[in-house]
Amino acid sequence: MIGSVMQFAAISILLGIGTFLDIKTREIPNWISVIVAMTAVINFRLDNLWGLIVAVIFFSVALATGKIGGGDVKLIAALSVVCGLWGSFALLLFAQIAMLVFYGVSVIVQKLRGRTADKALPFVPFITFGYVLTAILF
C-alpha cells in the first residue's frame, strides 16, 4: 500500500512537471519518462509488462499518422510498464476522451470569438488526467 502511494505521488509530480513543460515548450524531456519507468520497481508485477502491448500500438499509430510526438510515445511506454495492460488501455481511453472534450469545447469557444481553434494540442496534460483517473479507479 505504501509503495503504491509513493509510486502514485512520484509519477504525479513527474507528470505535473511534464505537463508544464509540454504546454510551455511542446517537448517532454527523456528523464521524465526514464524516472516514470524506474518507479515500476516500487510496485513491480511481472504481468504489468503486458502493458507494453499498448505502448507498441500507440507507437504504431504515432508512426503511421505522424501526429503524435516521440516524447508522448516514450511517456506512454513508461506508464504502460507501471499500469499494466488494462490500466494502460484505460489511461489512453481517458486521455483521449479528455482531449476530445477539451478540443470540442475549444472549437465552440473559438467559433464564438470568430477564431479558429488550434489543431495541435500538448498531450501530456491529458495523459496526466488519464493516469490519475486510472490510478483512482483501478
Side-chain angles (χ1 to χ4, degrees):
M1 177 72 162
I2 292 173
S4 297
V5 172
M6 286 178 20
Q7 184 180 39
F8 176 77
I11 292 173
S12 295
I13 291 167
L14 290 165
L15 290 176
I17 295 167
T19 294
F20 175 78
L21 293 173
D22 197 21
I23 291 170
K24 195 90 164 150
T25 66
R26 297 292 173 108
E27 290 189 12
I28 306 151
N30 289 333
W31 62 266
I32 291 176
S33 299
V34 168
I35 297 172
V36 166
M38 288 172 48
T39 66
V41 173
I42 295 172
N43 197 19
F44 184 74
R45 291 188 351 229
L46 193 58
D47 61 327
N48 277 3
L49 294 178
W50 286 105
L52 289 172
I53 293 171
V54 175
V56 169
I57 293 169
F58 191 72
F59 173 72
S60 300
V61 170
L63 199 59
T65 64
K67 303 286 184 187
I68 303 169
D72 297 322
V73 172
K74 289 181 251 183
L75 188 57
I76 290 295
L79 285 167
S80 69
V81 174
V82 172
C83 296
L85 181 64
W86 298 113
S88 298
F89 275 125
L91 185 152
L92 274 177
L93 177 67
F94 296 145
Q96 290 293 333
I97 290 170
M99 189 165 124
L100 287 171
V101 169
F102 179 86
Y103 187 73
V105 170
S106 176
V107 166
I108 292 168
V109 169
Q110 294 302 332
K111 281 202 185 262
L112 291 173
R113 292 181 176 175
R115 300 182 196 154
T116 304
D118 189 11
K119 291 183 180 178
L121 295 173
F123 193 46
V124 177
F126 305 108
I127 292 172
T128 303
F129 174 80
Y131 171 73
V132 170
L133 195 57
T134 299
I136 290 169
L137 295 176
F138 284 80

